[in-house]
Amino acid sequence: MQAQTRSDYQRAHRRRLSRKLGWTSVILVGLVLLGVLIGHHVINRHARQQVFLRNYPVRGVMLDQTDEYADFNQLQTNGVKYVYLRATQGASLTDDDFNNNYTRSIGSGLKVGVYHQYSFSSSVREQEQNLKRTLGNNIGDLPIMINLSYYNDYNAETVDRKQLARRMRQLVAWTQHYSQRPVLIKTSATNYQVLKRIPHTEFLLPRAKSGRHVTFASLAKQEQLYNNGKGSAFRMTAFRGSTVQWNQYLQVLKQHEIRSDAA
């Protein structure tokens, strides 16, 4: 009876050991497969990033007073080509960091642009004067941008499109005359359909959208990358074209300035 008990115990022990080894093997195989999947995902993600960076080689950042301190020389080293700095908002607000950012960005190797945050509640005249008072001659190298986005109770349902088109036409005409350059409007694809016929305008739309005079694109969060694939701490946009086309674009802007000086 005792020998039989020992034999049963040994068989049960072997079964337990076999089950334990079986589960260990399953877990090890699972971990290996998980590692392969993670590695495959990382490799694919890196490959997608590299394709994106090649397709959009000219990228820039947008800054305002809510952003952390920007080292413009480091941004340039990381592959950023241009920066847009918020100067004004509405009728009276001046960005607290604008003057400091503008001064520090000069000489960094970045092309510098400035932008105004459009207000639905302020008159166009008041917004023009705020922009002129704040900028003076500090208009940068790029088209002045008007950032048109909805806020609070202002949305696609409450804003009259015809009135919006009239107001933007007036603001663009003044800004174009002031800067002697085209005016860049950052907005939605829906607003683009309302505003696309305004003279002297270019547009910055979400990357998936395209159209006539759409020269820049806003990037989704996962697309906001430096050259090394590292994510940006700032909002990023991209020029819709190659590096060669970017240089040609800058030359055209320079020709606008030459013609205006000659006039």
Side-chain angles (χ1 to χ4, degrees), residues 46-225:
H46 179 72
R48 288 194 301 271
Q49 287 179 349
Q50 293 307 306
V51 170
F52 175 80
L53 293 174
R54 286 196 300 270
N55 290 340
Y56 294 88
V58 182
R59 296 176 306 284
V61 299
M62 291 179 63
L63 299 175
D64 63 31
Q65 66 189 39
T66 66
D67 290 302
E68 62 185 53
Y69 178 87
D71 184 329
F72 294 105
N73 292 307
Q74 187 63 47
L75 287 172
Q76 195 274 338
T77 300
N78 285 336
V80 172
K81 303 297 185 184
Y82 64 91
V83 58
Y84 262 100
L85 308 173
R86 186 177 71 161
T88 52
Q89 178 173 325
S92 58
L93 189 146
T94 298
D95 192 285
D96 290 343
D97 290 342
F98 173 68
N99 288 327
N100 180 263
N101 280 337
Y102 191 91
T103 301
R104 291 191 303 105
S105 64
I106 301 300
S108 64
L110 299 173
K111 294 300 178 182
V112 180
V114 300
Y115 78 91
H116 170 74
Q117 184 69 44
Y118 177 82
S119 169
F120 293 95
S121 59
S122 304
S123 74
V124 172
R125 176 64 175 169
E126 289 174 326
Q127 296 185 65
E128 293 168 356
Q129 292 305 305
N130 187 25
L131 194 55
K132 181 178 181 180
R133 182 171 56 248
T134 302
L135 292 182
N137 294 322
N138 295 335
I139 62 173
D141 311 297
L142 302 174
I144 293 177
M145 180 199 297
I146 300 171
N147 190 10
L148 172 61
S149 57
Y150 294 124
Y151 57 89
N152 297 339
D153 294 331
Y154 295 100
N155 54 56
E157 285 71 39
T158 60
V159 172
D160 182 272
R161 293 187 178 185
K162 290 184 178 179
Q163 183 184 46
L164 175 62
R166 285 195 300 270
R167 283 167 58 90
M168 286 299 295
R169 186 178 292 268
Q170 179 183 341
L171 183 55
V172 165
W174 180 89
T175 306
Q176 189 274 331
H177 179 76
Y178 179 68
S179 64
Q180 294 300 309
R181 296 174 189 159
V183 178
L184 180 64
I185 300 176
K186 181 179 183 295
T187 192
S188 65
T190 301
N191 284 335
Y192 166 73
Q193 296 301 323
V194 178
L195 306 174
K196 63 183 180 181
R197 292 183 177 84
I198 297 177
H200 310 297
T201 52
E202 298 176 359
F203 289 88
L204 191 163
L205 299 182
R207 186 172 71 87
K209 307 298 180 181
S210 61
R212 185 168 176 266
H213 300 312
V214 180
T215 50
F216 289 83
S218 57
L219 304 182
K221 187 174 182 180
Q222 68 273 17
E223 298 168 340
Q224 298 184 10
L225 306 167

